[in-house]
Amino acid sequence: DIVMTQSPDSLAVSLGERATINCKSSQSLLSSSNNQNFLAWFQQKPGQPPKPLIYWASTRESGVPDRFSGSGSGTDFTLSISTLQAEDVAIYYCQQYYSVPITFGQGTRLEIK
Amino acid sequence: EVQLVESGGGLVQPGGSLRLSCAASGFSFSSVWMAWVRQAPGKGLEWVANIKGDGNEKYYIDSLKGRFTISRDNAKSSLYLEMSGLRVDDTAVYYCAKGFGTDRWGQGTLVTVSS
């Protein structure tokens, strides 16, 4: 199974500042067939289902603000929020969909400093 | 608009069974992979199983050890999860999700296993 490890477990950032969450996979998520990384990011607020933010490691879902961006390739990935807004307080998860079982990182809790 | 509506959750005793359903709309259901993902109270996300559009491929998390069965009825645009031999640690919100990469999620249905 591919193990997904996020860092940090929790993060406190001031409003308007940049937040960065890291995700590392135990094996490469880069497919030679389409040259894409099978990595997604989700945002979950209390009492709500996870909301997809990013797929193919760097493609934003429709309607996701452009302050959210994804980067990385192979085994190391990053979710960045350029200017933190109050509504971005949530838990963020990375997910690999390269192979089954599909696996998630343990989550990173983002709070306002 | 994609909609996924789960139902069938509730309180069940250890060792009992339950069948979850997910009604899908707003997309070509028979063309896409579908999945179940669960989240225990206060915990992270755990993928449970997925099934190909035609129903001919199914994958499960190893820890289920055959207790759960995923299925679909494309004529009804519905996804199912049959759960048996339920344990206390199966208590979770169960989400239905669209796509191999789970790009759309339902609101979830709570399954509580307790005596």
Side-chain angles (χ1 to χ4, degrees):
Chain A
D1 298 1
I2 298 176
V3 177
M4 305 298 290
T5 304
Q6 290 180 227
S7 61
D9 289 334
S10 63
L11 180 63
V13 175
S14 301
L15 290 172
E17 296 299 306
R18 185 178 198 86
T20 301
I21 298 170
N22 300 301
C23 176
K24 188 174 184 67
S25 59
S26 61
Q27 64 188 72
S28 177
L29 305 182
L30 179 62
S31 170
S32 57
S33 63
N34 65 357
N35 201 36
Q36 296 279 10
N37 289 279
F38 285 63
L39 187 284
W41 288 97
F42 297 84
Q43 175 193 65
Q44 188 177 33
K45 297 181 180 181
Q48 297 184 18
K51 173 187 176 182
L53 295 176
I54 303 280
Y55 59 98
W56 297 135
S58 61
T59 303
R60 265 189 308 276
E61 287 275 358
S62 175
V64 173
D66 60 8
R67 64 179 182 274
F68 291 89
S69 64
S71 63
S73 184
T75 61
D76 292 280
F77 303 91
T78 299
L79 174 69
S80 297
I81 307 172
S82 58
T83 50
L84 190 70
Q85 306 294 309
E87 61 264 31
D88 300 334
V89 169
I91 299 176
Y92 292 83
Y93 295 93
C94 61
Q95 176 213 52
Q96 68 79 18
Y97 51 103
Y98 184 87
S99 65
V100 289
I102 290 169
T103 47
F104 294 87
Q106 78 277 17
T108 295
R109 184 180 299 274
L110 177 59
E111 299 173 331
I112 303 297
K113 185 186 290 182
Chain B
E1 180 193 1
V2 172
Q3 286 204 329
L4 300 168
V5 180
E6 302 92 338
S7 60
L11 175 63
V12 61
Q13 291 190 337
S17 300
L18 212 54
R19 187 198 201 204
L20 305 183
S21 300
C22 171
S25 61
F27 63 99
S28 179
F29 182 77
S30 62
S31 302
V32 304
W33 286 80
M34 294 294 295
W36 289 99
V37 180
R38 68 183 181 180
Q39 186 170 36
K43 302 298 184 182
L45 301 169
E46 181 179 50
W47 176 87
V48 171
N50 65 2
I51 182 170
K52 194 176 179 182
D54 59 12
N56 288 336
E57 286 184 54
K58 304 176 185 181
Y59 299 97
Y60 299 89
I61 191 170
D62 284 348
S63 60
L64 292 181
K65 295 184 179 178
R67 296 187 296 118
F68 290 12
T69 301
I70 191 171
S71 63
R72 63 193 297 160
D73 184 336
N74 287 343
K76 295 182 179 179
S77 294
S78 293
L79 177 72
Y80 306 101
L81 187 67
E82 298 271 3
M83 305 184 294
S84 63
L86 283 162
R87 305 169 181 167
V88 171
D89 62 0
D90 292 319
T91 294
V93 174
Y94 285 74
Y95 295 103
C96 163
K98 166 186 168 288
F100 200 88
T102 62
D103 57 26
R104 294 293 183 270
W105 297 56
Q107 291 296 310
T109 187
L110 176 63
V111 172
T112 303
V113 185
S114 174
S115 55

